[in-house]
Amino acid sequence: MKVLLFSGLAMILALGAINAQAQQSSVAEPEVKAGWQTLPQDNLLYLETDQGRIVILLAPQFAPEHVKRVKELVKNRFYDGVTFYRVIEGFVAQFGVPEHEWGSRTKLTPMKAEFSWPVNGRDPYLLVQRPDLLAEETGFNQGFAVAREQNQEWLVHCPGVVNMARANEPDTAVADIAIMLGQAPRHLDKNMSAFGKVIWGQYAVNRLRRGEVADGGVIGSASARTVIKQARLGSDLTPDKQLQLEMLNTNSSEFSQSLAERRSRIHVFYQHKGNGNMDVCYPQVPVREVKVG
């Protein structure tokens, strides 16, 4: 079996009036938007597993071809009945079909990588850290943690980010999807095509059956793996099966205030206030369910 690579959000602590961030003052203030925004059902991927429901927010604005491929596969029921066949604690959970188990499935054309893209000056970008350890800067763009350097932007591999598994060559991703677990594996940044993130059902992710590190996380017996019973786009579900989810706008005053408070560690608990620097993968962007009726 060919061994695949994987990849795998972030709410952060940013924008306080702190000396360590004085170099950020030259950046234009982002336009303030409404606080909570409804997430479109056609960009929500619902995975019904035997451990519970997992919901992934797709990002066609960043990786349009990978999102298009995933949506086509979901429409064709490709992921119904597949398993999480490689799960490494603290690193990655990969689902799909191992190469030696493809059988009569139609072979899919490998995809051209979407590792990064040109910075779009019209995007509602919120600066978090400059410089970042692994990039010129990091920030938030439409709810996703991103990094920027030399007019290129890419999704940061924070916990919960999903990408398309591939072989050693860059343009070899086909269908298998990997969810980032545990600490942020940022060595995968600009090395994998990330196209979304888990926004709901972390409890189910935590219960995914793990493989042995000595075996590369591969779970040899299909009966020992977590099964995806059904994968659907929210737009293909009846309203009673959908979750009405809202995400806090990362360009809102509420989000900026939260980041500034976290960056400055104003709570009396903190005896050491830090230096104001923040990792873009520290907290998650808040998502909430809105009950209808």
Side-chain angles (χ1 to χ4, degrees), residues 70-136:
V70 169
K71 287 185 175 183
E72 289 175 349
L73 292 175
V74 170
K75 295 276 189 183
N76 292 326
R77 307 297 188 253
F78 178 89
Y79 296 110
D80 289 9
V82 306
T83 61
F84 283 87
Y85 67 85
R86 185 174 187 182
V87 184
I88 302 175
E89 181 65 50
F91 177 37
V92 70
Q94 181 169 327
F95 66 88
V97 183
E99 186 176 343
H100 70 283
E101 296 179 13
W102 269 68
S104 60
R105 285 177 181 259
T106 302
K107 295 291 185 180
L108 296 171
T109 302
M111 303 192 65
K112 183 174 178 57
E114 293 179 297
F115 294 162
S116 65
W117 45 88
V119 169
N120 185 345
R122 297 185 300 274
D123 282 349
Y125 176 69
L126 175 66
L127 177 66
V128 168
Q129 184 70 37
R130 179 193 294 160
D132 174 72
L133 178 63
L134 299 174
E136 289 179 355

Side-chain angles (χ1 to χ4, degrees), residues 266-277:
I266 61 175
H267 195 278
V268 66
F269 169 83
Y270 293 106
Q271 301 302 301
H272 173 59
K273 303 295 185 181
N275 62 5
N277 293 329

Side-chain angles (χ1 to χ4, degrees), residues 259-289:
L259 300 190
E261 290 174 354
R262 290 175 178 271
R263 181 187 291 281
S264 59
R265 303 186 193 179
I266 61 175
H267 195 278
V268 66
F269 169 83
Y270 293 106
Q271 301 302 301
H272 173 59
K273 303 295 185 181
N275 62 5
N277 293 329
M278 287 297 169
D279 177 7
V280 75
C281 288
Y282 178 51
Q284 305 288 315
V285 179
V287 174
R288 69 185 184 186
E289 181 181 7

Side-chain angles (χ1 to χ4, degrees), residues 137-194:
E137 64 182 59
T138 53
F140 284 95
N141 189 346
Q142 302 168 71
F144 289 85
V146 299
R148 289 182 170 185
E149 187 167 284
Q150 298 180 354
N151 203 42
Q152 286 290 300
E153 180 181 78
W154 58 92
L155 290 183
V156 175
H157 279 79
C158 298
V161 163
V162 300
N163 66 31
M164 193 77 83
R166 65 172 176 85
N168 288 329
E169 297 75 19
D171 301 332
T172 53
V174 175
D176 289 7
I177 295 174
I179 301 174
M180 301 301 100
L181 302 177
Q183 296 182 346
R186 290 195 57 191
H187 60 283
L188 297 177
D189 290 358
K190 290 185 74 176
N191 283 301
M192 303 295 295
S193 298

Side-chain angles (χ1 to χ4, degrees), residues 35-74:
W36 291 90
Q37 296 182 319
T38 301
L39 297 177
Q41 292 293 332
D42 61 341
N43 282 333
L44 295 182
L45 173 57
Y46 291 73
L47 304 179
E48 304 293 347
T49 81
D50 59 8
Q51 299 299 316
R53 170 182 275 188
I54 300 169
V55 182
I56 294 171
L57 174 63
L58 303 174
Q61 69 272 39
F62 300 131
E65 293 306 313
H66 281 72
V67 170
K68 179 181 178 182
R69 166 67 62 87
V70 169
K71 287 185 175 183
E72 289 175 349
L73 292 175
V74 170

